[in-house]
Amino acid sequence: MDRLALKDKTLVEILERLKNLEGNLRNLDGKVDSLNARGTLPLSIYGPLQTNPPPVALDASRSGPWPTANVHLQPPAIPPASPRDVQYVSATHKMLSWPFIRQVLETKNPNIDLPRLEKDGAAMLLGLPGRTVNLPTSMYDSVNLGSEGASISLQVSPASQVEGMQGGGLNMNWDTMQRLSKSYFDTFNLIYPIMDRQIFQAEVLPAIASHGFDESSSSTLACLVFALGEVAMSAVQGAPITTYKGRPSGVRGGTLERPPGISFFNEARKRMGFNLTECSLENVQMFALAACLNMELNIPRTGLDKLEALVGLPDFSGSFSEEDYLGNQASHFQEHFASQIVLRRLSVEFHTTLTNAFGPTHLPVEPPIPSAAIMMKQMAAQLDQWRGLLPVYLRWEEENLGTFPHPAEELYDDQSMYPPPVPDLHTNFMFTADLDSPPVSYPYAVHIQAASLRTRYCYVKYLVHRPFIFKALHHPDQVTQTDAEGVAECLKAMLKWPITMSPTCFHKRLIPCLFFWTQNLLGILLILHLTQQVPILLRIRTSLMGSKFDQDANETVMLCIDWIRDLKNTDATALWCWEILKGFYPLGDDT
């Protein structure tokens, strides 16, 4: 056990490097604060504003119009709705309101309510208007634990039961609690390390075993842990809820009407009302994920983000269980989590700067803001810096997001609930676009962690460069060489996101915030469609993207369509996206 007391030297090193980058961000806070008032010049993280860009930041030879080579670049006429050449929005439903894309949607999908989309885009994307399907509220059905053909009734013999659930129907034995909590801590808690495994196992579980469930925060948290533990087991071992042309769904376990974990979740929901007024760590843990909705859907923030500067990066310096030690040695979840926090802070800084400089409601002022290309080159450089700080075992090849960071055999032990992978199935590749071969299952949700980190990086890079897509669509005659290169970088960043590839896409119940990824995949599909229809984008695609782009783009389209198809029967966002895609892609007989 002495090894548990020793600080992991590798983690210390990465935290030190990430804190250096965090320090750079902190130095920018005062400059970014000046962006919060609409109409003010963005005294941004990229230095003082200059009417004329410095020569070192942008080659003057690239600032002239991009040569047209006798290609007609002017798209159909659009209303003069944009006050500038580029426009930045983060949410996909805001991108759908771009004048050019609105015009395309009116032609391809005349039934789409565009005025309502502009007004209530987030609600429409989540399928809230007219939603009729609700989670069942009955408590005491059998709980499917994911193993093939097996379920365990929550009514057990008095000699081994844990009492206290309302109505006396949801009783559990010690083995079930251990199995469900291990499933949770080996998956979801590695992705978002919210709970202390050692305290939960040493204090919470024994207390429930001795005294039963009550209305306390501890009992509520236990119900949520058990619910997510059941979800995690079903996500890997459960039966797929549908099959498409012989390919099993990535949504496993439960049914369309009763997802796994619902009985435990309903018990937690019953108790959460009693916990709302408590000021405790447990209450923070229960609502910690509420902030995930802000930037992605332009939903107002909860206020939890205001505490971020006070918390700082985690150093995982406290005591932890042997199971977590082994899990971190295999999956490096601590480094994944710390790295993702810094990446998120970078993206928030970028979002604030770009919104205030190029947001749709920002009015141009004098003197003019610096070139968007300069600003975005600086952001791309910061992203590269973040990526360069990652330890070797978290890195990936820039041109191949699917490569394995370290040998797969290091991930498996005798206690793993995952079978070892088929030998030589995906040699040297952790992720593959081949969805017809049996997916590999990795322990400790390591493929979810790696896919999330890599895809988040791609997502931020894609957002930073997407304003160049706006300029190409709305002002093609003003596109410079640098702008064209910005479009090319945006197109590269949207290719073959690991979260859409195998094996990640076959374990969708382990992926938090599916709706967030779904709406962004819709945006990617629309842009890739336009690169074959709009002359300026078509020329950039054929002249700047390289010989491999067409193959990668086709695989990306296949992966994104498969993702949305797979979710459309269970997720309102996916169904809404599917209806839009019908006007752009041949979806076969599955419509």
Side-chain angles (χ1 to χ4, degrees):
M1 294 295 292
D2 290 343
R3 62 182 179 178
L4 301 181
L6 297 176
K7 180 86 72 174
D8 186 333
K9 184 179 179 182
T10 305
L11 177 60
V12 174
E13 291 175 355
I14 185 178
L15 287 174
E16 286 302 317
R17 287 183 288 172
L18 290 173
K19 284 176 181 177
N20 289 336
L21 181 55
E22 184 188 29
N24 293 339
L25 290 175
R26 191 178 295 113
N27 293 334
L28 306 172
D29 285 347
K31 296 178 181 178
V32 173
D33 284 343
S34 66
L35 298 173
N36 292 332
R38 288 290 185 186
T40 60
L41 284 173
L43 301 175
S44 76
I45 60 181
Y46 310 107
L49 297 174
Q50 301 180 31
T51 303
N52 298 314
V56 294
L58 190 64
D59 188 344
S61 66
R62 298 174 179 268
S63 60
W66 197 46
T68 62
N70 298 321
V71 176
H72 180 61
L73 302 179
Q74 185 65 38
I78 57 172
S82 174
R84 67 176 59 79
D85 291 346
V86 299
Q87 186 181 107
Y88 168 81
V89 291
S90 63
T92 296
H93 70 270
K94 295 290 186 181
M95 188 191 85
L96 300 184
S97 296
W98 286 355
F100 187 94
I101 293 184
R102 275 181 61 102
Q103 187 181 68
V104 174
L105 286 173
E106 287 170 353
T107 303
K108 300 277 191 179
N109 299 77
N111 296 326
I112 297 293
D113 189 346
L114 292 174
R116 188 176 185 183
L117 174 65
E118 203 161 334
K119 181 181 178 182
D120 301 314
M124 289 184 67
L125 199 63
L126 291 171
L128 298 181
R131 181 174 182 175
T132 57
V133 178
N134 296 310
L135 288 174
T137 57
S138 58
M139 303 290 179
Y140 307 120
D141 289 4
S142 292
V143 175
N144 189 328
L145 295 184
S147 57
E148 197 168 291
S151 64
I152 180 168
S153 172
L154 296 179
Q155 291 280 8
V156 296
S157 62
S160 59
Q161 71 183 21
V162 180
E163 299 179 348
M165 289 294 186
Q166 292 286 333
L170 194 53
N171 299 316
M172 299 178 63
N173 61 37
W174 179 255
D175 288 342
T176 301
M177 292 198 301
Q178 288 280 0
R179 185 162 58 252
L180 291 175
S181 59
K182 175 176 173 55
S183 175
Y184 164 77
F185 280 104
D186 282 352
T187 54
F188 284 110
N189 206 60
L190 302 185
I191 300 170
Y192 291 117
I194 294 172
M195 299 288 293
D196 186 309
R197 185 175 194 155
Q198 191 165 347
I199 291 177
F200 187 84
Q201 291 181 330
E203 299 179 13
V204 176
L205 284 186
I208 292 175
S210 299
H211 307 295
F213 292 89
D214 54 27
E215 283 71 38
S216 67
S217 296
S218 294
S219 287
T220 306
L221 280 171
C223 290
L224 292 172
V225 166
F226 298 149
L228 289 170
E230 187 185 339
V231 170
M233 293 179 70
S234 298
V236 177
Q237 302 172 358
I241 62 171
T242 59
T243 301
Y244 174 73
K245 295 184 177 179
R247 182 184 298 163
S249 170
V251 182
R252 295 174 173 268
T255 65
L256 293 176
E257 296 75 23
R258 291 193 67 85
I262 186 63
S263 296
F264 295 116
F265 181 57
N266 283 338
E267 282 291 347
R269 287 200 291 174
K270 282 172 41 179
R271 289 164 168 75
M272 288 178 78
F274 293 102
N275 309 135
L276 283 174
T277 57
E278 293 185 16
C279 183
S280 64
L281 174 62
E282 290 85 355
N283 208 28
V284 173
Q285 289 171 322
M286 279 189 284
F287 295 98
L289 300 183
C292 293
L293 296 175
N294 55 66
M295 185 175 73
E296 287 84 354
L297 287 174
N298 280 11
I299 293 175
R301 297 181 183 179
T302 62
L304 193 62
D305 59 297
K306 304 296 183 188
L307 303 176
E308 187 170 19
L310 302 177
V311 176
L313 284 173
D315 59 11
F316 297 99
S317 58
S319 61
F320 52 94
S321 66
E322 184 172 7
E323 292 95 331
D324 279 346
Y325 174 85
L326 295 175
N328 187 57
Q329 290 296 104
S331 70
H332 306 288
F333 78 86
Q334 296 175 351
E335 292 95 330
H336 271 108
F337 186 64
S339 300
Q340 198 149 204
I341 288 176
V342 175
L343 179 60
R344 179 191 169 278
R345 293 182 179 179
L346 270 177
S347 68
V348 169
E349 296 290 344
F350 296 167
H351 174 72
T352 302
T353 300
L354 291 171
T355 297
N356 286 277
F358 306 113
T361 60
H362 178 78
L363 298 177
V365 292
E366 295 295 337
I369 59 176
S371 164
I374 296 175
M375 206 176 268
M376 293 162 197
K377 279 181 178 289
Q378 294 276 359
M379 292 178 178
Q382 292 230 22
L383 275 176
D384 288 340
Q385 182 185 7
W386 169 86
R387 189 168 169 273
L389 292 174
L390 295 175
V392 173
Y393 46 79
L394 296 191
R395 292 180 193 168
W396 60 90
E397 295 178 10
E398 181 74 17
E399 300 301 321
N400 194 337
L401 295 167
T403 52
F404 218 115
H406 52 77
E409 57 268 18
E410 295 179 5
L411 297 170
Y412 296 88
D413 57 46
D414 294 337
Q415 305 300 317
S416 174
M417 69 177 182
Y418 299 82
V422 178
D424 300 325
L425 180 60
H426 300 311
T427 304
N428 299 325
F429 290 94
M430 189 174 195
F431 307 103
T432 174
D434 178 8
L435 303 186
D436 293 318
S437 297
V440 176
S441 292
Y442 298 104
Y444 304 111
V446 67
H447 58 302
I448 305 294
Q449 296 181 60
S452 297
L453 188 68
R454 298 179 190 194
T455 307
R456 278 278 178 181
Y457 167 83
C458 296
Y459 162 71
V460 177
K461 198 170 185 180
Y462 160 67
L463 275 193
V464 164
H465 292 96
R466 197 166 66 182
F468 290 114
I469 301 287
F470 179 92
K471 183 173 183 179
L473 292 175
H474 298 86
H475 306 282
D477 55 326
Q478 299 177 27
V479 170
T480 66
Q481 179 69 26
T482 299
D483 297 330
E485 292 170 358
V487 170
E489 288 299 319
C490 183
L491 296 180
K492 289 178 187 176
M494 64 176 67
L495 295 177
K496 297 171 67 173
W497 285 3
I499 209 157
T500 67
M501 300 169 75
S502 177
T504 318
C505 67
F506 286 107
H507 301 143
K508 288 188 175 73
R509 291 201 190 276
L510 287 177
I511 302 173
C513 300
L514 286 171
F515 66 87
F516 164 65
W517 298 115
T518 300
Q519 57 125 0
N520 279 294
L521 298 182
L522 171 65
I524 286 174
L525 286 169
L526 295 183
I527 291 175
L528 286 177
H529 172 81
L530 293 177
T531 63
Q532 294 182 307
Q533 305 295 322
V534 179
I536 184 72
L537 294 183
L538 178 60
R539 181 155 190 268
I540 293 172
R541 173 172 175 154
T542 56
S543 62
L544 296 182
M545 298 309 300
S547 58
K548 195 172 178 290
F549 179 80
D550 282 348
Q551 177 186 341
D552 287 341
N554 290 336
E555 289 183 347
T556 300
V557 168
M558 179 274 293
L559 291 168
C560 294
I561 289 178
D562 186 85
W563 173 286
I564 297 173
R565 176 192 288 115
D566 193 26
L567 288 172
K568 67 183 176 65
N569 293 325
T570 59
D571 180 79
T573 300
L575 179 60
W576 188 85
C577 294
W578 187 257
E579 292 301 315
I580 291 182
L581 288 179
K582 288 180 181 179
F584 291 86
Y585 289 93
L587 302 176
D589 54 0
D590 186 14
T591 57

